């Protein structure tokens, strides 16, 4: 195996300078001159300049002739793509970008140009326009501390915005173009974001003043109304030496309106799966509740009787509850069993849907259902040793009637709440059957 050749001298010069720059050696002074570097490395200025140009292309240094070469000071802007629909003040003084950068101690500014142009091919495709159809475009270059940091070009179908003084005026829209679109009757309900990492075009290099060889990210954001109509296409050009993109993931919250409906026989595995997940979660916390196989025969009977219900969030089952009129003779005496009551069994909320008071909403729904059925009480029996669960029901306006220690039974803490008692906590539950008749679930 032949020995590896050393890199060319200009690369070695660049490597040496890169190490010194990264160590902070030239933060307050220019790099050595071409002449001094040529003398130090016993080579020509042409070779030295070739090495320096490598660092220029990397965006590490820049040339300011005749003063020399200087380290490019990087103060990246944090860019958060997820904030499209973040609520804003009703009467802001500046748009979001200017406000946020001011708060960080930067000096933001921007140039804005507005024109009416035929839709470029990419925009025409995203906005579903015919060839030759016109768009109104707001072209912005956003600056920080006097340096261009990104371009932001927003295209709108001209027919939608031609009468909007705000969008057609080359001035800042402090409250945001989204608000203006909403007032025009085209509120954006969702966006689709596309990213392309590439080298800049000559026009982008000129607008941003970026060094040669600086990659950019092109972000294309298309906004749609609830009906799926595209109403805005934004093209952002984000230079790699000035932008730091930060993406945040958050556990999805439940929808504001969930559906609740009787489970079908084909949902048996879903119901038992929710029950088993809850049992595993309890077991991991040293709680002995539900540490046995689900009683599928009983669950199947409840499903057939229309007593077992599932809550769906966008088609995904997130909770279950069973309601019947059976007073368990191990717990409820004959006098209580003779009273009109609806009994809660197997109420389970999926762990990744917890923390949203869905259980409270289910109990409200059950309470309303009990009242509608002419019942006086909503009742349940809880696991005696699960103190957290007992506290949970007390906090939701259930009264502990008594505790019964029946042979072979771990449950027996008996709770009841007045039928029709509603706390109004948690998400809304929509019963499709009720919705069809105009009734309300909760």
């Amino acid at each position: 195996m032949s020995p590896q050749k050393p890199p060319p001298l200009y690369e070695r010069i660049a490597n040496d300078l890169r190490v010194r720059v990264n160590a902070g050696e030239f933060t307050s002074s220019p790099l050595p001159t071409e002449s001094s570097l040529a003398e130090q490395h016993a080579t020509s200025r042409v070779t030295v300049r070739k090495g320096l140009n490598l660092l220029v292309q990397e965006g590490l240094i820049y040339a300011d002739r005749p003063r020399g070469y200087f380290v490019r000071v990087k103060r990246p802007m944090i860019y958060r793509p997820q904030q499209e629909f973040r609520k804003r003040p009703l009467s802001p003084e500046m748009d979001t970008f200017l406000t946020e950068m001011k708060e960080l101690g930067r000096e933001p500014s921007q140039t804005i140009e507005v024109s009416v142009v035929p839709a470029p091919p990419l925009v025409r495709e995203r906005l579903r326009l015919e060839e030759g159809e016109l768009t109104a475009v707001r072209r912005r270059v956003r600056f920080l501390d006097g340096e261009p940091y990104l371009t932001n070009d927003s295209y709108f179908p001209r027919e939608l915005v031609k009468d909007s003084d705000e969008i057609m005026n080359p001035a800042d829209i402090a409250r945001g173009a989204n608000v203006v679109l909403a007032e025009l009757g085209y509120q954006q309900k969702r966006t689709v974001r596309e990213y392309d990492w590439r080298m800049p075009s000559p026009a982008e290099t000129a607008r941003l003043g970026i060094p040669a060889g600086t990659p950019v990210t092109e972000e294309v954001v298309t906004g749609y109304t609830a009906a799926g109509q595209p109403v805005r296409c934004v093209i952002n050009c984000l230079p790699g030496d000035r932008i730091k993109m930060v993406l945040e993931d958050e556990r999805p919250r439940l929808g504001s309106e969930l559906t609740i409906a009787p489970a079908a026989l084909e949902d048996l595995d879903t119901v038992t799966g929710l029950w088993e997940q809850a049992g595993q979660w309890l077991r991991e916390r040293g709680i002995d509740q539900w540490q046995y196989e689900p009683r599928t025969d009983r669950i199947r009977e409840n499903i057939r009787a229309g007593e077992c219900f599932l809550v769906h969030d966008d088609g995904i089952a997130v909770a279950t509850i069973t309601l019947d009129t059976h007073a368990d003779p191990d717990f409820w005496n004959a006098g209580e069993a003779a009273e009109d009551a609806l009994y809660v069994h197997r109420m389970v909320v999926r762990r990744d849907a917890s923390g949203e008071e869905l259980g409270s909403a289910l109990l409200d729904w059950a309470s309303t259902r009990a009242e509608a059925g002419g019942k006086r009480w909503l009742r349940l029996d809880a696991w005696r040793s699960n103190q957290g669960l007992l506290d949970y029901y007390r906090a939701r306006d259930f009264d502990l009637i008594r505790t019964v220690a029946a042979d072979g039974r771990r449950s027996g803490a008996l709770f009841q709440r007045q039928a029709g008692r509603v706390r109004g906590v948690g998400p809304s539950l929509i019963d499709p059957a009720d919705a069809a008749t105009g009734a309300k679930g909760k």
Side-chain angles (χ1 to χ4, degrees), residues 19 56 121 157 159 232 242 275 344 346 348 369 384 418:
V19 170
V56 171
E159 288 304 307
R232 185 185 189 191
R242 299 168 200 186
W275 192 93
V344 176
R346 291 190 300 273
V348 180
R369 191 176 183 88
R384 300 192 308 270
Q418 192 80 31

Side-chain angles (χ1 to χ4, degrees), residues 155-168:
Y155 291 83
F156 308 86
R158 180 179 175 275
E159 288 304 307
L160 301 189
V161 300
K162 63 183 180 181
D163 296 324
S164 170
D165 292 336
E166 288 177 279
I167 288 180
M168 300 304 295

Side-chain angles (χ1 to χ4, degrees), residues 229-265:
Q229 177 185 5
V231 294
R232 185 185 189 191
C233 180
V234 180
I235 302 177
N236 295 318
C237 186
L238 314 170
D241 65 335
R242 299 168 200 186
I243 299 294
K244 180 177 181 179
M245 190 178 298
V246 176
L247 299 173
E248 300 176 11
D249 286 328
E250 182 177 324
R251 180 172 67 85
R253 297 178 64 85
L254 291 172
S256 59
E257 291 188 348
L258 313 180
T259 61
I260 183 166
L265 283 176

